[in-house]
């Protein structure tokens, strides 16, 4: 029988309760603790799960409760300090997307996990979806031929973030799927966007990833659309796939459509494109909750010493693409070459380009209140028995992730 893993979840805003629910439902998991700075959130979850230890102090959960693994579902800017403290304390660590605010931080977390023999996993939830697994299977079988381009749209009205732009918030889902399907890194990244609501925080972006063999992927992300859209089109040389995650049924449709140019012609009058219109079919996909599958995978990797499908390296690859998109935004959409951007000649990463911070509006003195983000000193007990490590962390657990 697999060992029961004792788990603690930090961050009980938008996404944390979903993680709590799923980990608690798994037989080889003992949900032992949940942590959030906001007392009303903890009080609510405590009323639902009275047997679970509740804390408002992350250091208390990390050192005062005997947990084997820590699940981090807080604001992106707090991912690195919380994950670093977890790894130093000898805990397996699961981090919501994106893994950190810079690839430099990702690399440090990867090194820490490797040094301490711990599982580090980035939560790219859609890769655990049966729909995405089916698409990957169709592509690998060669049913759609050679992929020519991919177009993704992820749109809705909100939820607006203050610490990251819409590309960092929504595009990671699509980037992770595209990377999984294509199986290689883009050569260049272009990104353009606009900040309509909060100065300095783009709420609409269009990103273009350019791959070898003239393949491209276009990702449109928006917090300013009246409809919720979660759609991806994969165009192949033989067939095309449309993936609509908002569809209640038939989330995948395969179109037997293509266009061909004649191999030989003598005059322009003889030149005609050949358009093929065939059947449309929707393959059967068994419905499963991707998040539950992802949580189980994390536990399996701990119990059996396996490398996660979405390990720290996958998390870092995604963050590097996001960093390049931020650099391209500063350059008004100019292409950023990943090889040049992340290799300064000696194989090391240059200083990271963090997501733009929101410009703070002026608040009259009489209306000022204490912000939810506060500075907390963590005393982490290292599992190796060495001296305590003091880490000063600014924690914002008000994560509103769509």
């Amino acid at each position: 029988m697999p060992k029961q893993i004792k788990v603690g979840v930090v961050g009980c805003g938008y996404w944390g309760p979903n993680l709590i629910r799923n980990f608690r439902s798994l037989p080889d998991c003992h949900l032992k603790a949940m942590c959030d700075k906001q007392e009303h959130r903890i009080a609510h979850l405590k009323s639902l799960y009275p047997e679970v230890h509740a804390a408002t102090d992350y250091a208390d959960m990390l050192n005062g409760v005997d947990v084997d693994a820590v699940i981090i579902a807080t604001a992106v800017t707090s991912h690195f300090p919380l994950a670093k403290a977890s790894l130093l304390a000898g805990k397996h660590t699961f981090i919501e997307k994106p893994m950190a605010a810079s690839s430099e931080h990702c690399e440090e977390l990867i090194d820490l996990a490797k040094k301490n023999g711990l599982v580090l996993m980035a939560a790219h939830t859609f890769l655990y979806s049966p729909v995405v697994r089916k698409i990957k299977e169709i592509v690998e079988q060669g049913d759609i031929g050679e992929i020519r381009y991919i177009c993704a749209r992820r749109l809705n009205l909100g939820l607006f973030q203050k610490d990251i732009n819409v590309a960092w918030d929504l595009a990671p889902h699509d980037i992770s799927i595209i990377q999984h399907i294509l199986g290689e890194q883009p050569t260049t990244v272009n990104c353009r966007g606009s900040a309509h609501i909060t100065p300095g925080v783009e709420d609409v972006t269009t990103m273009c990833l350019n791959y070898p063999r003239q393949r491209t992927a276009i990702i449109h992300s928006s917090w300013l659309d009246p409809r919720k859209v979660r759609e991806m089109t994969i165009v192949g040389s033989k067939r095309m796939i449309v993936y609509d995650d908002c569809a209640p049924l038939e989330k995948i449709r395969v179109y037997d459509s293509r266009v061909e140019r004649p191999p030989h012609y003598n005059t322009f009058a003889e030149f005609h494109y050949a358009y093929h219109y065939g059947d449309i079919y929707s393959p059967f996909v068994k419905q499963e909750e991707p998040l539950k599958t992802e949580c189980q995978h994390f536990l399996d990797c701990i119990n059996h010493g396996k490398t996660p499908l979405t390990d720290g390296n996958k998390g870092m690859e995604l963050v590097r693409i996001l960093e390049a998109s931020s650099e391209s935004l500063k350059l008004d959409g100019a292409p950023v070459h990943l090889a040049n951007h992340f290799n300064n000649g000696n194989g090391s990463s240059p200083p990271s380009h963090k997501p733009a911070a929101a410009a703070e509006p002026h608040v009259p003195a009489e209306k000022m209140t204490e912000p939810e983000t506060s500075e907390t000193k963590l005393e982490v007990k290292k599992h190796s028995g060495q001296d305590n490590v003091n880490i000063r962390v600014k924690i914002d657990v008000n994560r509103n992730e769509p």
Side-chain angles (χ1 to χ4, degrees):
M1 292 293 293
K3 174 189 172 185
Q4 221 182 28
I5 307 298
K6 291 169 286 188
V7 167
V9 177
V10 55
C12 303
Y14 177 86
W15 198 242
N18 293 320
L19 288 160
I20 289 170
R21 173 177 56 83
N22 277 281
F23 273 109
R24 185 175 175 273
S25 70
L26 298 173
D28 47 349
C29 174
H30 176 195
L31 181 65
K32 198 160 185 183
M34 47 195 180
C35 176
D36 196 289
K37 284 182 63 64
Q38 302 301 314
E39 292 185 1
H40 68 276
R41 293 183 191 146
I42 282 294
H44 172 66
L45 288 170
K46 187 68 175 174
S47 69
L48 298 175
Y49 313 114
E51 77 284 359
V52 182
H53 175 81
T56 55
D57 182 2
Y58 180 57
D60 174 48
M61 189 192 84
L62 205 59
N63 298 323
V65 183
D66 181 23
V67 296
D68 303 310
V70 171
I71 314 302
I72 298 171
T74 60
V76 176
T77 49
S78 65
H79 284 183
F80 171 71
L82 295 177
K84 182 176 180 179
S86 173
L87 293 168
L88 285 172
K91 316 296 183 185
H92 303 285
T93 306
F94 174 107
I95 313 173
E96 271 302 324
K97 62 81 186 168
M99 194 168 102
S102 75
S103 56
E104 196 173 34
H105 285 164
C106 292
E107 194 167 8
E108 186 173 343
L109 294 178
I110 292 167
D111 290 342
L112 267 176
K114 185 177 180 181
K115 179 181 177 182
N116 295 323
L118 299 167
V119 172
L120 175 63
M121 179 167 158
H124 300 167
T125 308
F126 278 89
L127 300 197
Y128 300 91
S129 161
V131 177
V132 173
R133 291 203 303 266
K134 186 65 177 180
I135 292 172
K136 176 75 168 175
E137 178 186 320
I138 293 170
V139 170
E140 288 184 339
Q141 288 174 348
D143 288 357
I144 68 169
E146 290 292 324
I147 293 178
R148 288 174 170 166
Y149 84 93
I150 299 174
C151 182
R153 296 189 301 150
R154 194 166 294 267
L155 323 170
N156 50 257
L157 191 59
L159 298 164
F160 280 82
Q161 308 292 330
K162 295 179 180 179
D163 58 334
I164 55 174
N165 64 23
V166 70
W168 281 73
D169 184 41
L170 297 183
H173 293 306
D174 299 306
I175 295 172
S176 65
I177 295 170
I178 291 165
Q179 292 289 101
H180 185 58
I181 291 171
L182 294 181
E184 61 183 342
Q185 294 297 299
T187 55
T188 61
V189 177
N190 302 71
C191 189
R192 299 194 71 172
S194 301
H196 300 92
I197 305 300
T198 305
V201 181
E202 290 83 5
D203 40 50
V204 178
T205 59
T206 301
M207 190 185 306
C208 183
L209 311 181
N210 302 288
Y211 291 85
R213 304 196 301 279
Q214 294 187 322
R215 298 192 294 179
T216 59
I218 302 163
I219 302 170
H220 180 36
S221 310
S222 175
W223 289 327
L224 278 177
D225 200 272
R227 301 171 304 137
K228 182 176 181 178
V229 177
R230 302 284 184 268
E231 189 176 87
M232 181 176 289
T233 302
I234 304 166
V235 176
S237 57
K238 295 180 182 178
R239 294 180 181 84
M240 306 176 187
I241 299 173
V242 174
Y243 165 33
D244 184 357
D245 194 55
C246 291
L249 299 171
E250 298 185 351
K251 291 181 182 291
I252 305 174
R253 288 191 174 187
V254 181
Y255 291 75
D256 186 12
S257 305
R258 61 184 177 274
V259 59
E260 297 172 348
R261 58 179 298 168
H264 305 289
Y265 58 93
N266 295 320
T267 66
F268 182 76
E270 295 176 355
F271 178 84
H272 294 284
Y273 287 108
Y275 294 91
H276 173 80
Y277 300 96
D279 294 334
I280 302 171
Y281 74 92
S282 181
F284 171 76
V285 178
K286 184 180 177 181
Q287 294 300 313
E288 299 172 359
E289 186 175 3
L291 184 57
K292 186 174 184 178
T293 304
E294 181 181 46
C295 294
Q296 183 62 61
H297 181 67
F298 179 60
L299 299 176
D300 290 341
C301 289
I302 295 172
N303 270 319
H304 304 293
K306 298 190 300 184
T307 300
L309 171 65
T310 53
D311 63 357
N313 289 313
K314 295 293 183 185
M316 182 169 65
E317 289 172 3
L318 191 148
V319 169
R320 282 181 169 170
I321 293 171
L322 292 174
E323 285 183 318
S325 76
S326 293
E327 182 69 9
S328 180
L329 278 169
K330 295 176 186 175
L331 300 173
D332 198 25
V336 173
H337 294 263
L338 263 68
N340 297 334
H341 189 64
F342 298 112
N343 191 341
N344 59 12
N346 57 11
S348 60
S349 298
S352 61
H353 300 277
K354 297 182 180 179
E360 292 295 333
H362 174 72
V363 181
E366 65 272 13
K367 294 187 178 180
M368 290 183 67
T369 59
E370 183 180 353
E372 290 187 0
T373 302
S374 61
E375 194 170 82
T376 302
K377 184 176 180 182
L378 301 182
E379 291 191 357
V380 182
K381 298 177 182 177
K382 293 185 70 174
H383 70 294
S384 61
Q386 298 176 13
D387 294 337
N388 291 354
V389 178
N390 295 332
I391 300 177
R392 194 168 293 277
V393 185
K394 284 189 177 180
I395 303 174
D396 180 6
V397 294
N398 186 17
R399 179 66 178 143
N400 295 315
E401 180 179 342

